[in-house]
Amino acid sequence: AAKRIKGEWSSAAIAGEIASKLYDLTSHAKNIEDQPDNSTRFLIIGREEVGPSGKDKTSIVVSTQNKPGALHELLEPFHRRNIDLTRIETRPSTSGTWSYVFFIDFLGHVSDENIIAVLDELKKRSSDVKVLGSYPQGVL
């Protein structure tokens, strides 16, 4: 990230002190982690869609009302189609009382037939579905 922003106006990166020195960048804050053993998820955000690589992940945001079984209704289509969820987080929605937003990552590309079918089902079962994007899986 530090190497990539070198020379780009109004860009920033989260990187260690060594990267700051190596690429002659100005550090604006140190020790920004809230847990000493944390891990950071790095993203490159763009406006262009990324085609399937054969080993992809997709990230979506789904809004739903707080009612018994709401989360089950959202997750059931993934289970039925054997789609592996890799991350799920929930946050209260800023749009209204007692509604929630789920950030869901799963294996597959938005152009895959089974993913298209799941997204169609989610649109019928939720208040809103937004596809944040599909991208090649990261290498750990």
Side-chain angles (χ1 to χ4, degrees), residues 58-86:
T58 297
S59 296
I60 63 173
V61 179
V62 183
S63 301
T64 187
Q65 294 296 313
N66 184 20
K67 63 179 184 178
L71 180 58
H72 179 268
E73 285 182 33
L74 296 179
L75 299 182
E76 189 277 331
F78 292 100
H79 171 71
R80 189 168 10 93
R81 289 187 172 77
N82 200 32
I83 296 171
D84 188 10
L85 301 179
T86 59

Side-chain angles (χ1 to χ4, degrees), residues 48-54 56 109 111 134-136:
E48 298 175 21
E49 290 187 22
V50 177
S53 71
D56 301 293
H109 192 274
S111 66
S134 290
Y135 45 89

Side-chain angles (χ1 to χ4, degrees), residues 15-110:
E17 191 174 335
I18 293 171
S20 174
K21 289 177 182 175
L22 181 64
Y23 299 110
D24 192 31
L25 300 171
T26 302
S27 178
H28 293 283
K30 293 183 179 187
N31 302 321
I32 62 171
E33 72 275 359
D34 53 4
Q35 298 289 327
D37 62 344
N38 76 330
S39 61
T40 303
R41 184 176 180 190
F42 293 95
L43 304 172
I44 298 175
I45 299 172
R47 297 184 190 275
E48 298 175 21
E49 290 187 22
V50 177
S53 71
K55 194 170 182 180
D56 301 293
K57 274 189 174 180
T58 297
S59 296
I60 63 173
V61 179
V62 183
S63 301
T64 187
Q65 294 296 313
N66 184 20
K67 63 179 184 178
L71 180 58
H72 179 268
E73 285 182 33
L74 296 179
L75 299 182
E76 189 277 331
F78 292 100
H79 171 71
R80 189 168 10 93
R81 289 187 172 77
N82 200 32
I83 296 171
D84 188 10
L85 301 179
T86 59
R87 183 183 190 104
I88 183 166
E89 292 185 29
T90 183
R91 299 283 185 264
S93 174
T94 57
S95 66
T97 307
W98 302 114
S99 66
Y100 290 85
V101 176
F102 293 93
F103 293 85
I104 304 172
D105 293 352
F106 52 89
L107 299 184
H109 192 274
V110 72

